[in-house]
Amino acid sequence: MNKNLRLLAVPTLALGMVAMAGAPAMADHANGSYTVDFQQLSGTTGTATFAMDIDDKTATVNLQVSGLGETFMDAPYPHVQHIHGGAQGTCPTMADDADGDGILSTTEGAAAYGGIQTTLGTSGDTSPAAGLNLELAGQGGNYSIERTFEMNAETLDAIEAGTAVVVIHGLDPATSSSEEAFNAPSDLEPSLPLGATSPALCGVVTASQMGEMPEGGADTGVAQSTSNNNMGMLALGGGLVLAAAVGGTYVVRRNAADNA
Ligand SMILES: [Cu+2]
């Protein structure tokens, strides 16, 4: 009996792997350039700009943050930030302040912007698992995150569907709309104050004008590159996977350089 079950299980597993290997051919649906127009939440006075290019699964992000909380517990304030998605693709309003404490917690915002899909850390892991890794967080009130990495399918899907939202966390105690936010435990990590993890800046990922131009100008050189892509996919499915793997190696090397 057990042997038969194993025999059945192997083909199922193999099918799953084939499906995953086929995924890169579908991954260019989010190609383009994107920006974010940030809103200030819960008394935040800082600002940020965000530019992102996506080519197949490779995302190049340029995030510039200024004027957020500078220090936290006598150290540079760690600001974590993520691309959230899979929900309404909006930012929360004070109508979402369910407990009426005067600020929006990360949980209260989730109905609008969804869960973490990509972690926009300064280096290393970009998966949701790194979402609360303070070592990868922006440090202080002014910082930039400029990275190229392989974006996961969930985030690419959210960007295409218009539900991707960039959220930068960490309220400034000096401007927070609730002093209590720094005396209550965080809804994400109880060892931190609520205000330290609550969303400070929020904005929907939106296709920029520059991203739309190549599609409109498809009768120039762009059509050629598109058909080349399609030919590549048809003829060399395995080659595409290999290319993706090589791309991943490049990203890892780049990250290592960033750490140095
Ligand atoms: Cu977040």
Side-chain angles (χ1 to χ4, degrees), residues 9-22:
V10 169
T12 307
L13 197 69
L15 273 176
M17 290 174 72
V18 168
M20 285 178 68

Side-chain angles (χ1 to χ4, degrees), residues 81-82 84 116 167 169:
Q81 50 254 306
H82 319 106
H84 290 245
I116 297 171
V167 180
H169 298 258

Side-chain angles (χ1 to χ4, degrees), residues 6 21 45 49 59 66 70 87 96 100 106 111 118 126 138 146 154-155 160 173 178 193 248 258:
R6 273 185 213 139
T45 56
T49 62
S66 61
E70 282 279 356
D96 297 304
T106 297
T118 287
T126 58
E146 298 175 31
E154 291 76 18
T155 310
E160 187 197 25
S178 167
D258 284 347

Side-chain angles (χ1 to χ4, degrees), residues 32-44:
S33 298
Y34 299 86
T35 59
V36 169
D37 188 10
F38 284 102
Q39 301 173 32
Q40 299 166 323
L41 301 180
S42 304
T44 296

Side-chain angles (χ1 to χ4, degrees), residues 216-239:
D219 56 344
T220 58
V222 177
Q224 201 174 359
S225 76
T226 301
S227 65
N228 282 347
N229 277 344
N230 289 342
M231 282 174 64
M233 285 176 201
L234 287 171
L236 290 169

Side-chain angles (χ1 to χ4, degrees), residues 131-192:
L132 290 177
N133 185 340
L134 299 185
E135 291 179 7
L136 306 182
Q139 303 290 317
N142 308 288
Y143 57 90
S144 59
I145 291 177
E146 298 175 31
R147 296 194 58 184
T148 298
F149 58 94
E150 187 172 305
M151 185 165 269
N152 62 38
E154 291 76 18
T155 310
L156 291 170
D157 288 346
I159 289 167
E160 187 197 25
T163 70
V165 178
V166 176
V167 180
I168 302 174
H169 298 258
L171 300 179
D172 186 344
T175 66
S176 168
S177 53
S178 167
E179 286 183 23
E180 286 305 304
F182 287 85
N183 294 324
S186 164
D187 50 331
L188 299 185
E189 173 50 64
S191 67
L192 295 170

